[in-house]
Amino acid sequence: MSDRKLAGQFFDAAIGLLQQVRDEDAGDIEAAGTLIADTVAGGGRLFAFGAGHSSLAAQDVVYRAGGLALMNLLAVPGVVGVDVMPATLGSALERVDGLASAVLDSSPLRAGDVLVIISLSGRNALPVEMAMNARALGVKVIGVTSVAYASETKSRHVSGTYLKDHCDIVLDSKIAVGDAELTLDTIEAPFAPASTVVTTALLQAVMATAAGALADRGIEPPLLRSGNVDGGHEWNGRVMTEYGDRIFYRR
């Protein structure tokens, strides 16, 4: 089989998943975008968290051109990405009971805020406890996960529950357990994961919905422009000054 054919198969698989979430998650995407718009309009703050590769989708909605300036990264040392050494430490920390409590206790999260939690499997202690404890604080939780894991794997949290069980809104990425879209007779393991493509698209759809909902109310969405276009830095400076009390990545 040619490399070109495999590339085409991956694109087909990713496009199929994107079409599926577009059609089947439309109501939840609308609800999540509306919740974010409500939070911005009501003076609340926005945060996103993901561990390991799930952190890529969280980082994609923080401090970026075309994105909401108010979205902040809730970082957990050691689990944000594969830059930690050894890389396997991040996976281990996701399973540590009590870590989420320590992170939330030292974070600026408060009642009325929104926390987006991204976890493909939703089965590890960290995202489950993060959602449970955030809601106990009065924070609204949007979970982005593959619901299939709840029926095909065992929870690693003492409660036996998953991220999806502790969210105000769940966005189902539809990713199959194992996160690999392709197989080949000559390759022993499945390969070509699509979770980052789909999860990132889901969240950008939510942010687009939120921006439109704010505009419909006569509120200018606090969007950032690219710093690589003329006037971008000046625009961003104005937005960050106006909303400085809700932006934490500059401190």
Side-chain angles (χ1 to χ4, degrees):
M1 180 177 292
S2 69
D3 294 341
R4 182 175 296 180
K5 186 172 182 180
L6 284 172
Q9 287 183 357
F10 175 75
F11 279 119
D12 288 344
I15 291 168
L17 285 164
L18 289 170
Q19 290 174 331
Q20 188 178 3
V21 298
R22 179 197 63 190
D23 297 339
E24 297 180 11
D25 287 7
D28 294 321
I29 291 170
E30 181 75 21
T34 300
L35 174 57
I36 288 175
D38 291 344
T39 303
V40 172
R45 292 92 58 81
L46 307 174
F47 297 85
F49 165 76
H53 285 93
S54 290
S55 71
L56 296 174
Q59 294 176 56
D60 190 60
V61 293
V62 176
Y63 184 53
R64 66 157 305 139
L68 290 173
L70 274 61
M71 184 61 73
N72 300 278
L73 186 67
L74 182 63
V76 179
V79 307
V80 172
V82 294
D83 57 335
V84 61
M85 295 296 175
T88 52
L89 176 60
S91 298
L93 288 173
E94 284 189 70
R95 306 177 189 180
V96 174
D97 293 330
L99 180 56
S101 295
V103 170
L104 289 175
D105 286 347
S106 60
S107 80
L109 272 163
R110 66 188 185 192
D113 292 345
V114 165
L115 173 60
V116 178
I117 301 178
I118 306 149
S119 174
L120 178 61
S121 73
R123 67 188 296 221
N124 289 311
L126 183 56
V128 173
E129 290 186 357
M130 188 77 75
M132 294 174 66
N133 294 347
R135 291 182 84 191
L137 292 173
V139 173
K140 296 291 187 181
V141 174
I142 299 171
V144 189
T145 187
S146 172
V147 172
Y149 276 83
S151 60
E152 299 182 38
T153 68
K154 183 179 179 181
S155 172
R156 291 184 175 134
H157 188 253
V158 64
S159 67
T161 61
Y162 298 77
L163 170 61
K164 73 174 186 64
D165 299 316
H166 305 285
C167 299
D168 296 280
I169 299 169
V170 175
L171 301 175
D172 184 2
S173 64
K174 319 294 184 183
I175 299 295
V177 174
D179 192 15
E181 294 302 318
L182 303 183
T183 59
L184 200 60
D185 291 343
T186 54
I187 300 177
E188 188 169 347
F191 56 101
S195 60
T196 303
V197 174
V198 176
T199 302
T200 299
L202 262 173
L203 285 179
Q204 290 298 346
V206 168
M207 298 306 155
T209 301
L214 286 167
D216 287 344
R217 304 177 196 185
I219 300 172
E220 181 184 348
L223 296 168
L224 296 173
R225 290 182 180 269
S226 171
N228 295 312
V229 299
D230 293 342
H233 287 299
E234 292 76 14
W235 173 280
N236 293 342
R238 177 184 64 80
V239 172
M240 290 185 179
T241 296
E242 183 175 352
Y243 291 94
D245 60 332
R246 292 192 263 174
I247 296 173
F248 298 92
Y249 49 80
R250 299 185 68 198
R251 302 177 186 178

